[in-house]
Amino acid sequence: MKFLSVTAAALSLLCLTQTVIAQDGAGSIPAQSAPSTYSCDPNTCKLPACLCASQSPPNGLQPKDVPQFVTITFDDSVQASLMTTANQLLNVKNPNGCTAKGSWYVSMQYTDFSLVQEWYANGNEVADHTFTHVGSPSAQEIAAAKAMLHEYAGVPLGKIKGFRAPFLNYTAETLSEISQQGFQYDSSSSAVVDDCYWPYTLDNGMANDCWTGICAAGAVKLPGVWEIPMYAVNDNASVPQLMDNYLAGSVADVTQWSNTNFDRHYNGNRQPFGIYVHPTHLTSYPGLPDPAPLKQGVISFIQSLASKPDVWFVSNDQLLQWMKNPVPASQLAAQDYMKCEVPNPGKEICNGLQNITISDVGLVSSSLLNMCNFNTSTWGTCFNCPATAPTVDTPIPPTAVQPTDPKYRHPVPDNCDSIWWDPIAGQCLCTTASCAYKEAAAPVSPSSPNAVNSSSAAAAQSTPSLRSAASAKALPATGALLLSAFVASVVL
């Protein structure tokens, strides 16, 4: 891996809408899967704990009876302008009247944690994409990101279920590591036409990306860990396009490819259909080409899918809950995970649903937020700012204020979801069984990924490849000062 010079990176960014520079894994996926030794006995591998890879719907359901799931996922940092783009893509309704939900695979650099909490509080999924967005990530990279999402965005550890490898560059060791750290699923593999499987568990190994050798007998065996493949769109030359496929051709061409591939799912076995986005490509920045036509093309395509019967836009977390207990489309609206009730704690608290203001340069502010400034980045949080900037090795430094200080914010306890937690008063405002929460996930110490540690203790003290392709990091929200830092960080 090497870094472009600032000049070369700037030129690449100026060509952003004409060239594909951040399609993680695209261009290196064979159009056909390789021979595989994958073997799974459906008589012994049964739901909810185990499921064999199959192109047919689970539990013997007929394709005509199952929902057509569409997942819209977002990768990399969470910033105000990028969240606006994401919400524009999700601005469609499901058959039950609820707004579509998405999954965001979050890397830590340039992320505003108050916005991560807002994303989570509004019913979307927050997942792990490592601290620094490095290929073939270490255990520390994965654990550090998970710790920060919990500590500064208030996402309960048990709700951080998913992982996606940067550059989609995962290995058998990566999958083993996320299993050890308690993740429920990975979504880094690619699926083309002949290995277009529904999500499955890794009890019997991998069934996708067999061309890499990952499907070899004994390479992967992780009972209970799910794989949610990323479903490729074949262009008119039968070349699989995966992430950011809207960059691979004209709006008209991409819409045609996408419709053709969606119809293959919808009129076939109704495997989930994915739209995989780096929102920075669809977000406007001064001095760069206007991506509005590309974004409108994606939005129009999404709206066209929403008009079809039995199409449901879900997060990967919602998809996984359905996979464990599949029900016909006629029963999906009645499932708790598909409802869209907004919590009412009785007063405005710092829980991701509070009123916020966003400046012209994308800075978030609110009377309830703490703003953490580390020169190269500024982010908001409902919780305590660290005294020093987090790093991979020390993702949760000591807090800037001590527990005896009146300005101290109380970390989310393990018996209250953050949407009901008032960090200023240190009070859980959930008073009924319907909103009760009990953390079942064991926190992992980032400096020792297999060691159990408490989040509040970590906040109070210091804690000591299969594929690669080009990727552009998201533009920092702090204005032109960081543009040079951004273009210098584009990775080949």
Side-chain angles (χ1 to χ4, degrees):
M1 184 180 298
K2 61 181 179 180
F3 291 85
L4 287 171
S5 69
V6 172
T7 301
L11 291 173
S12 293
L13 285 170
L14 290 174
C15 299
L16 191 62
T17 56
Q18 286 77 39
T19 59
V20 183
I21 67 169
Q23 296 189 69
D24 287 2
S28 59
I29 307 168
Q32 294 182 329
S33 63
S36 170
T37 59
Y38 178 83
S39 177
C40 181
D41 183 357
N43 295 312
T44 57
C45 181
K46 296 183 177 181
L47 290 172
C50 185
L51 184 66
C52 296
S54 173
Q55 296 201 34
S56 298
N59 268 15
L61 290 171
Q62 295 301 306
K64 64 180 179 62
D65 296 325
V66 303
Q68 176 59 66
F69 292 113
V70 177
T71 58
I72 305 176
T73 73
F74 307 91
D75 283 22
D76 300 344
S77 63
V78 179
Q79 302 166 26
S81 58
L82 303 182
M83 181 174 283
T84 296
T85 296
N87 285 328
Q88 289 171 338
L89 268 59
L90 293 173
N91 189 26
V92 291
K93 300 287 188 181
N94 279 321
N96 64 350
C98 294
T99 301
K101 303 303 178 188
S103 300
W104 203 310
Y105 296 87
V106 185
S107 54
M108 300 300 100
Q109 292 178 309
Y110 306 122
T111 280
D112 189 310
F113 293 94
S114 66
L115 295 177
V116 177
Q117 186 168 9
E118 179 183 329
W119 178 260
Y120 168 74
N122 280 282
N124 298 293
E125 179 186 12
V126 173
D128 192 314
H129 200 44
T130 75
F131 188 105
T132 61
H133 198 279
V134 61
S136 298
S138 66
Q140 182 71 11
E141 279 275 352
I142 299 168
K146 189 175 187 180
M148 290 185 69
L149 292 172
H150 173 64
E151 195 70 21
Y152 302 121
V155 184
L157 290 169
K159 298 293 186 73
I160 307 173
K161 302 177 182 180
F163 174 79
R164 176 170 290 163
F167 313 104
L168 310 184
N169 191 13
Y170 71 97
T171 64
E173 290 73 23
T174 308
L175 298 175
S176 178
E177 185 57 46
I178 67 167
S179 174
Q180 292 179 44
Q181 294 194 27
F183 290 91
Q184 294 189 23
Y185 77 86
D186 169 73
S187 184
S188 305
S189 68
S190 58
V192 292
V193 175
D194 54 353
D195 63 356
C196 189
Y197 299 123
W198 283 81
Y200 56 95
T201 63
L202 299 179
D203 295 62
N204 298 278
M206 283 286 293
N208 291 89
D209 288 335
C210 294
W211 57 277
T212 66
I214 195 71
C215 303
V220 174
K221 187 175 179 64
L222 299 169
V225 177
W226 287 77
E227 182 63 30
I228 302 180
M230 299 174 68
Y231 301 95
V233 168
N234 283 358
D235 63 20
N236 57 3
S238 296
V239 175
Q241 303 291 336
L242 197 56
M243 292 208 70
D244 310 307
N245 63 20
Y246 41 81
L247 297 178
S250 69
V251 171
D253 285 345
V254 172
T255 300
Q256 178 188 348
W257 309 333
S258 299
N259 277 315
T260 298
N261 284 264
F262 176 81
D263 288 344
R264 176 167 51 83
H265 289 238
Y266 187 61
N267 299 321
N269 284 322
R270 292 205 170 176
Q271 298 96 323
F273 182 84
I275 300 172
Y276 312 114
V277 178
H278 287 98
T280 186
H281 294 312
L282 300 178
T283 302
S284 297
Y285 297 111
L288 295 179
D290 184 6
L294 293 179
K295 180 169 66 176
Q296 187 54 52
V298 178
I299 290 173
S300 296
F301 173 64
I302 290 170
Q303 291 174 339
S304 73
L305 301 186
S307 68
K308 300 177 184 292
D310 295 332
V311 170
W312 292 77
F313 295 87
V314 297
S315 66
N316 273 336
D317 179 28
Q318 289 174 306
L319 172 60
L320 192 59
Q321 293 188 65
W322 184 89
M323 292 299 307
K324 293 178 179 180
N325 182 27
V327 297
S330 60
Q331 299 177 23
L332 185 58
Q335 306 306 305
D336 286 344
Y337 56 84
M338 291 305 304
K339 297 178 180 178
C340 48
E341 300 171 351
V342 178
N344 181 13
K347 64 176 182 178
E348 186 181 32
I349 59 175
C350 203
N351 65 346
L353 300 175
Q354 74 277 4
N355 292 321
I356 65 170
T357 300
I358 299 176
S359 72
D360 292 341
V361 294
L363 292 178
V364 174
S365 62
S366 165
S367 61
L368 296 178
L369 286 175
N370 275 329
M371 300 307 298
C372 311
N373 190 336
F374 301 105
N375 295 323
T376 58
S377 65
T378 298
W379 41 269
T381 178
C382 285
F383 304 97
N384 297 298
C385 289
T388 59
T391 64
V392 174
D393 292 331
T394 309
I396 307 174
T399 57
V401 297
Q402 297 304 308
T404 55
D405 192 309
K407 295 181 180 180
Y408 182 79
R409 302 291 180 94
H410 300 270
V412 179
D414 63 4
N415 62 350
C416 188
D417 196 324
S418 57
I419 57 177
W420 296 98
W421 179 249
D422 182 348
I424 297 175
Q427 180 184 12
C428 188
L429 301 178
C430 167
T431 58
T432 66
S434 63
C435 60
Y437 180 79
K438 178 62 178 176
E439 184 65 80
V444 176
S445 169
S447 60
S448 179
N450 296 319
V452 176
N453 200 8
S454 73
S455 175
S456 57
Q461 62 184 354
S462 175
T463 50
S465 268
L466 296 180
R467 267 194 310 263
S468 64
S471 178
K473 293 182 181 179
L475 186 66
T478 49
L481 176 63
L482 289 177
L483 178 59
S484 61
F486 170 56
V487 297
S489 67
V490 179
V491 183
L492 275 183

